[in-house]
Amino acid sequence: MCADQYTHGHHESVLRSHRWRTAENSAAYLIPHLRSGQDVLDVGCGPGTITVDLAGLVGPGTVLGVDNVDEPLRTARAEAEARGTANVAFRTADVYHLPFPDDSFDVVHAHQVLQHLTDPVAALREMRRVCRSGGVVAARDADYGGMRWSPDNSGLADWLDLYRRVAHHNDAYPDGGRMLKGWALEAGFTDVTCTATAWCFATPEERAWWGGLWADRVRMSSFAEQAVTAGLATRERLDELAAAWHEWTEAADGWFAVLNGEIICRP
């Protein structure tokens, strides 16, 4: 990722969510476009679970995961070592200024990255630059405005409102999922395929995991620090929002869906 303010930060509660992600549950739209021998760049790779999955799908091709800070990359390297995946590597890089020549990769992928940038169009242009002719640039981002849950919970509504205000304070795009096509066209792509998929959390185990990590994020992650520093919430209010997440977690009919927009772009 680039040097923009990252709304989530890298608290354990954030990485807990990121480590859950796989190619199957977070990049299924991309898998049909992957072939043995391709070289892949995974932008904003975080702890690398998707990245290592991609390496398994394109071997003997290589996969390079990049992020703007080294902290999550330590986890990514450990993930690759634990799986014995040799055709993957990780390094820091800025998506606005990728340190690679033109036409370096067959696939350039970014998962939940563009929504956090102040200039996602510039990022897509740079991703396009390093993608080879005949390759693909792929991106998937959540749309916070499209999130839905049950039962009704005013605390979660207040959480969503606060999240969107913090993201906008960072000049980011919390509804980025719906904006991907427009960004791609503005970046110069003319061949853009759009899809959408959703994560859904409804079983007791899923609710405990999803609600628990958001209750922790609300109180302890960079999101919490940013909300307080910007004067958008007090610590007491954050505690109340965390309690709302716990309340939702304990509801037997609890259900939460996260809408994600997806694009496959051909240079």
Side-chain angles (χ1 to χ4, degrees), residues 150-167:
S150 183
D152 289 340
N153 185 310
S154 61
L156 292 194
D158 290 345
W159 156 79
L160 181 57
D161 176 70
L162 176 62
Y163 179 87
R164 289 162 61 87
R165 286 188 289 128
V166 172

Side-chain angles (χ1 to χ4, degrees), residues 82-102:
R83 294 203 221 174
T85 305
N87 64 323
V88 64
F90 300 92
R91 61 172 291 182
T92 56
D94 180 346
V95 70
Y96 293 131
H97 305 286
L98 294 169
F100 312 111
D102 296 355

Side-chain angles (χ1 to χ4, degrees), residues 95 98 108-110 123-131 137-138:
V95 70
L98 294 169
V108 184
H109 166 259
L124 280 168
R125 289 193 184 112
E126 183 69 350
M127 292 166 67
R128 182 187 183 195
R129 179 186 68 79
V130 301
C131 187
V137 172

